[in-house]
Amino acid sequence: MAYWRRTPRQMQAATDAVAVAPDSAVVQKPPKPRGRMMRQYDLVERVRSYNPDTNEDLLNRAYVYAMKAHGTQTRASGDPYFSHPLEVAAILTGLKLDDATIVAALLHDTIEDTEATRAEIDQVFGHEIGALVEGLTKLKRLELVSREAKQAENLRKLLLAIADDVRVLLIKLADRLHNMRTLEFVPPASRRRIAEETLDIYAPLAGRMGMQEMREELEDLSFHVLDPEAYAVVKHRLDALADRNRNLIGEIESQLSKNLQKNGLAARVYGRRKQPFSIWTKMERKSVGFEQLSDIYGFRIVLGDIEACYRALGVVHTTWPVVPGRFKDYISTPKQNDYRSIHTTVIGPGKQRVELQIRTEEMNQIAEFGIAAHAFYKEGGSPTERLKHESNAFAWLRHTIGILSESANPEEFLEHTKLELFHDQVFCFTPKGKLIALPRNANVIDFAYAVHTDVGNSAVGCKINGKFAPLSSELQNGDEVEVLTSKAQSAPPSAWEALAVTGKARAAIRRATRAAVRDQYAGLGRRIIDRLFARAKIEYADDKLKGALPRLARTSIEDVLVSVGRGELKASDVARAMYPDYKEERLVRYGTRKALAAKAQTPPHPARAASVIPVRGINSELPVKFAPNGGAVPGDRIVGIVTPGEGITIYPIQSPALKDFEDEPERWLDVRWDIDETMPQRFPARILVHNVNEPGSLAQIATVIAEHDGNIDNIHMSRRSPDFTELTIDLEVYDLKHLSAIIAQLRAKAVVARVERVNG
Ligand code: MN
């Protein structure tokens, strides 16, 4: 196991740290490996364990040189600065790298941050190490200087800087890994930027170099910083699952081993669970929930040679049912980054879907260490020499750098590279040139939320490469996207949630629409309370309500308002909680049909108009619906009836159904139409048509309605007599005038004997 994987104790600490409720907004501290600083002999011991011929003197000199050079410098954490290059070197011993790499890691910050010079390092440690340290110094300067420059340019320079010696990249990745592990001590703003850069550039680069473990840890640490809530949710559920399946992994491991052994195959079998970030991206990519993910656990079967791998595959396939479509042979056809393995999925012990990776020890090393594995696995030649001959990843790197030297500008370079490096992402730019990396298939909504939640919430339109485009447009590599926002839009349409591809956008939309709906309920609750208090001539005061919260079993005023708005709490109960001697005024039948009908004749008093609830039609975020038997159309005088848990039902004032609510004045609401003239919307109405039974009469009626732009939703026919049929027609019209026009046209038809409107 590589050194950089945490020890079991650290894993446990990490688990404990995030074992909180998944909906907790608390930002968890990332797991951090702490403890005493490594000593000189620890480092030498680590190197000696895989390289008996190590030059101990060289390592010791570098240790002392770096320690002296950094002197009393400290890191953001307060630790001595020297602890950082030391940890970076230690990470690289996990990759079993050569002395020059370990020494360069110890020295990697000396030229930039101390009195040390290239010439001196060349003199003391030789030209090879001097060149490595200088390569890293260039990279560091790149980070400092061009923080605001386009990331495409940065990536280009980064790749150019590592062109001379790929070990620079390995040290740089280890450097970034250690910085990510200790990121909590860095100010929040730069923390985010570093995490973004890690996720955009370094993690994919590690993956592209075949260093999967490195990539996973970089991704997870970044994910933790960039989306702590999502991280906590996934981690929490992974832990819960691990708890539930505590014995299952061991059982599957031992059954697999036993079966292979029975067939004369010596194999190392171990299960490992996937990391939160890879689970999260899988959930995003496939739009599936956690429960639907079958491959949270992967098992590795590591064998002696390739022949044993195929025999093991045979054993597995004859022992357990195979899940079709999941078999892949990367041994005969390696991936571009040198990855080799056989993949298959079976229904294993306990009817559990088990994802298996079958490979040799060497393949396993390459799968974990990628390009670094080549540096130590084979004998002979310098590490870079070996890389040149054996590594596809290295070939890719050379190829990419080749393109680099030919492309005129960074964008063009990115155009060439990104598809290869980041094949599952698209790269787009803000008008200011900031690079936004998104998963493939992402659209402008995702882009807007990736820029900023506020930009997403207020997005109303966009320009892609200067042209107006719908927000749902799928983005292509290199698109320049300008998001147009409007202050008037306080919350995004809830339908966006289904359009967004990224979890970040979806979660933000859900949060914003939930908050908007809650606001509306609170507003509604406030109006209901205001009205009851005005009617009862008692005074409302926030302070007074605050004191009554325990009696109402609510924790905040807003909670009370929302509950009243939702109809879960009666306004009269609120009044009683505030004024224990409050008595409901049953005598004032304010809300009766007569009273309201009378009131409806007079225009609302300006002072009262504020408490009238606007009905925007059926698209309102508040659950507003129309009377089930007939509906209501603009132009009708309307009344709202609150139904607990369901919302508001709108009735025309003349509806006979209102009689049923006469004894419950607290359920009556003043409502008014609030129709946007520029956006014609249809509303439900019902008419009853008596027509003469003759061939084609129904067709004539339907034609009249259609010709006058009425939408027929439903027709119910019942024959009343041999001569007449009664038709109940549900239709959708724009308003009362529209409905009246249709009725008048129907009446003009000879086949129509009588038409009347049905009210709720
Ligand atoms: Mn460093």
Side-chain angles (χ1 to χ4, degrees):
M1 173 164 290
Y3 166 72
W4 72 60
R5 306 312 298 181
R6 293 171 204 118
T7 64
R9 194 169 42 81
Q10 284 161 340
M11 287 290 264
Q12 187 54 47
T15 308
D16 293 343
V18 292
V20 295
D23 54 352
S24 161
V26 178
V27 177
Q28 282 101 40
K29 287 253 151 85
K32 49 172 180 180
R34 303 276 297 175
R36 75 180 179 91
M37 210 201 294
M38 189 183 308
R39 298 297 162 87
Q40 203 166 338
Y41 57 84
D42 289 331
L43 184 72
V44 173
E45 213 31 63
R46 274 175 193 279
V47 179
R48 212 189 0 230
S49 71
Y50 64 82
N51 180 10
D53 301 329
T54 179
N55 183 344
E56 285 183 32
D57 175 54
L58 181 71
L59 291 176
N60 286 333
R61 275 191 293 128
Y63 185 101
V64 173
Y65 183 93
M67 188 166 61
K68 275 189 182 157
H70 287 294
T72 54
Q73 292 174 353
T74 54
R75 308 194 79 215
S77 61
D79 288 338
Y81 192 90
F82 178 58
S83 65
H84 165 65
L86 192 54
E87 284 296 332
V88 174
I91 289 169
L92 293 165
T93 63
L95 294 167
K96 304 187 186 176
L97 288 167
D98 64 314
D99 288 350
T101 311
I102 304 300
V103 168
L106 287 171
L107 304 175
H108 81 270
D109 281 330
T110 54
I111 294 183
E112 184 64 20
D113 295 344
T114 77
E115 302 288 310
T117 61
R118 166 77 197 270
E120 193 182 70
I121 288 176
D122 271 5
Q123 204 188 350
V124 181
F125 299 100
H127 176 79
E128 185 190 4
I129 289 168
L132 285 172
V133 177
E134 181 157 293
L136 286 149
T137 306
K138 274 191 209 154
L139 289 188
K140 184 152 186 181
R141 288 193 183 137
L142 182 71
E143 276 177 10
L144 293 173
V145 172
S146 45
R147 191 165 291 175
E148 305 301 329
K150 287 188 180 180
Q151 291 182 35
E153 180 61 26
N154 266 3
L155 176 59
R156 191 173 86 107
K157 286 186 183 152
L158 176 109
L159 289 178
L160 279 175
I162 60 180
D164 298 335
D165 194 327
V166 76
R167 288 175 296 180
V168 172
L169 173 61
L170 300 179
I171 299 168
K172 184 65 208 170
L173 287 171
D175 177 41
R176 180 50 66 108
L177 181 59
H178 185 246
N179 285 335
M180 285 299 298
R181 282 179 182 172
T182 50
L183 198 59
E184 64 186 293
F185 301 107
V186 167
S190 28
R191 202 186 298 163
R192 245 195 114 72
R193 181 187 58 78
I194 293 168
E196 269 168 9
E197 192 184 51
T198 302
L199 202 55
D200 287 349
I201 305 282
Y202 290 101
L205 208 46
R208 195 60 191 71
M209 293 295 110
M211 304 164 77
Q212 298 313 328
E213 296 214 351
M214 174 84 82
R215 193 204 71 206
E216 279 181 11
E217 190 175 350
L218 287 172
E219 281 174 349
D220 256 20
L221 290 166
S222 311
F223 179 37
H224 191 282
V225 171
L226 295 173
D227 197 345
E229 278 175 53
Y231 181 91
V233 171
V234 177
K235 188 76 169 61
H236 177 80
R237 302 193 66 172
L238 275 175
D239 290 342
L241 199 70
D243 227 37
R244 209 161 56 217
N245 296 341
R246 196 171 297 160
N247 301 320
L248 196 63
I249 294 183
E251 209 172 287
I252 292 174
E253 279 174 358
S254 80
Q255 282 217 35
L256 280 168
S257 301
K258 242 184 263 162
N259 268 301
L260 292 167
Q261 214 165 22
K262 235 175 23 205
N263 288 275
L265 287 164
R268 191 156 63 88
V269 179
Y270 61 97
R272 64 188 287 280
R273 75 183 203 190
K274 303 228 162 120
Q275 297 299 307
F277 182 76
S278 72
I279 302 271
W280 176 252
T281 44
K282 197 163 242 181
M283 284 163 71
E284 281 198 332
R285 200 170 57 235
K286 298 192 175 161
S287 294
V288 297
F290 193 85
E291 304 299 337
Q292 292 160 272
L293 286 173
S294 60
D295 44 6
I296 284 163
Y297 294 97
F299 288 83
R300 291 198 179 143
I301 303 178
V302 182
L303 299 116
D305 55 31
I306 291 181
E307 197 217 318
C309 291
Y310 286 100
R311 280 176 55 210
L313 177 71
V315 171
V316 167
H317 277 189
T318 49
T319 311
W320 293 288
V322 181
V323 177
R326 298 294 301 262
F327 174 75
K328 283 193 190 96
D329 184 356
Y330 293 118
I331 288 184
S332 61
T333 320
K335 284 193 189 181
Q336 242 197 329
N337 61 8
D338 303 323
Y339 177 85
R340 298 176 82 190
S341 240
I342 294 169
H343 288 191
T344 189
T345 304
V346 296
I347 310 290
K351 299 253 171 287
Q352 193 76 20
R353 275 169 74 127
V354 179
E355 197 184 67
L356 297 168
Q357 298 170 335
I358 306 172
R359 51 172 79 146
T360 66
E361 192 63 56
E362 182 184 352
M363 292 172 193
N364 198 41
Q365 296 284 349
I366 291 171
E368 285 178 10
F369 306 145
I371 199 163
H374 292 274
F376 69 86
Y377 204 83
K378 290 275 172 63
E379 300 295 318
S382 75
T384 306
E385 278 302 308
R386 275 177 258 141
L387 282 168
K388 277 181 191 162
H389 295 300
E390 289 153 23
S391 164
N392 275 325
F394 191 70
W396 172 85
L397 199 59
R398 303 299 315 190
H399 169 72
T400 303
I401 291 162
I403 294 173
L404 248 180
S405 48
E406 285 156 26
S407 36
N409 59 56
E411 283 76 20
E412 192 190 328
F413 155 71
L414 197 64
E415 199 54 51
H416 275 108
T417 339
K418 64 199 165 189
L419 289 172
E420 287 185 74
L421 180 54
F422 313 101
H423 51 88
D424 49 357
Q425 297 187 71
V426 287
F427 286 80
C428 303
F429 297 91
T430 66
K432 283 186 182 157
K434 185 177 192 290
L435 179 71
I436 304 285
L438 292 164
R440 202 179 272 212
N441 305 328
N443 55 46
V444 183
I445 295 171
D446 297 300
F447 181 93
Y449 279 98
V451 172
H452 198 279
T453 305
D454 292 344
V455 175
N457 284 342
S458 58
V460 291
C462 72
K463 282 181 181 175
I464 299 177
N465 303 320
K467 288 198 187 113
F468 282 103
L471 286 167
S472 58
S473 308
E474 190 176 316
L475 292 169
Q476 306 298 323
N477 262 317
D479 279 348
E480 186 189 288
V481 185
E482 183 184 353
V483 179
L484 308 170
T485 59
S486 162
K487 283 210 176 84
Q489 176 169 295
S490 56
S494 51
W496 282 9
E497 196 188 324
L499 291 174
V501 171
T502 56
K504 180 184 171 161
R506 277 208 298 268
I509 294 162
R510 206 157 38 231
R511 253 195 319 272
T513 46
R514 226 186 267 145
V517 170
R518 203 175 148 79
D519 280 356
Q520 294 207 31
Y521 274 119
L524 176 58
R526 167 77 72 184
R527 288 183 183 109
I528 294 172
I529 286 175
D530 279 354
R531 220 187 60 194
L532 178 126
F533 277 57
R535 209 164 69 208
K537 298 198 171 59
I538 49 179
E539 197 191 326
Y540 173 86
D542 276 351
D543 282 349
K544 191 128 183 111
L545 179 51
K546 218 172 258 172
L549 288 176
R551 255 162 287 158
L552 291 162
R554 296 295 193 280
T555 52
S556 69
I557 291 180
E558 202 210 348
D559 266 358
V560 172
L561 299 180
V562 169
S563 299
V564 172
R566 281 191 205 279
E568 293 158 359
L569 183 64
K570 284 184 176 181
S572 54
D573 290 338
V574 177
R576 223 182 334 273
M578 290 165 69
Y579 299 93
D581 48 356
Y582 164 79
K583 293 233 165 36
E584 215 169 329
E585 289 272 6
R586 281 282 175 188
L587 291 175
V588 183
R589 301 282 290 240
Y590 180 89
T592 60
R593 184 148 60 107
K594 236 184 196 164
L596 268 160
K599 208 174 84 59
Q601 302 305 314
T602 53
H605 190 274
R608 284 197 48 85
S611 70
V612 175
I613 291 136
V615 173
R616 288 184 192 279
I618 34 193
N619 290 332
S620 165
E621 292 289 2
L622 271 182
V624 169
K625 55 184 184 177
F626 291 92
N629 302 310
V633 299
D636 282 335
R637 299 282 183 187
I638 48 174
V639 171
I641 297 290
V642 179
T643 306
E646 285 180 28
I648 308 166
T649 308
I650 305 299
Y651 290 86
I653 197 77
Q654 68 272 22
S655 170
L658 285 172
K659 213 171 154 50
D660 298 346
F661 308 110
E662 280 188 356
D663 290 337
E664 300 171 276
E666 70 278 356
R667 291 181 63 185
W668 291 63
L669 283 176
D670 288 353
V671 288
R672 65 173 165 81
W673 294 103
D674 181 17
I675 305 300
D676 183 354
E677 302 282 332
T678 62
M679 302 253 296
Q681 197 187 344
R682 290 173 181 274
F683 295 86
R686 180 177 288 179
I687 55 175
L688 197 63
V689 180
H690 292 261
N691 69 299
V692 181
N693 281 334
E694 62 176 54
S697 60
L698 181 57
Q700 282 188 49
I701 289 162
T703 305
V704 168
I705 294 174
E707 274 175 359
H708 291 86
D709 196 21
N711 278 353
I712 296 177
D713 260 356
N714 194 24
I715 295 185
H716 177 79
M717 211 184 308
S718 58
R719 185 165 286 225
R720 291 284 172 206
S721 72
D723 298 328
F724 291 97
T725 301
E726 195 180 88
L727 297 173
T728 306
I729 303 177
D730 286 319
L731 67 170
E732 287 179 335
V733 296
Y734 294 114
D735 53 23
L736 192 57
K737 219 168 99 190
H738 186 202
L739 180 61
S740 305
I742 291 173
I743 291 174
Q745 291 301 321
L746 285 171
R747 282 179 180 146
K749 283 285 164 187
V751 293
V752 173
R754 194 153 65 86
V755 186
E756 60 195 73
R757 182 174 173 200
V758 179
N759 289 303

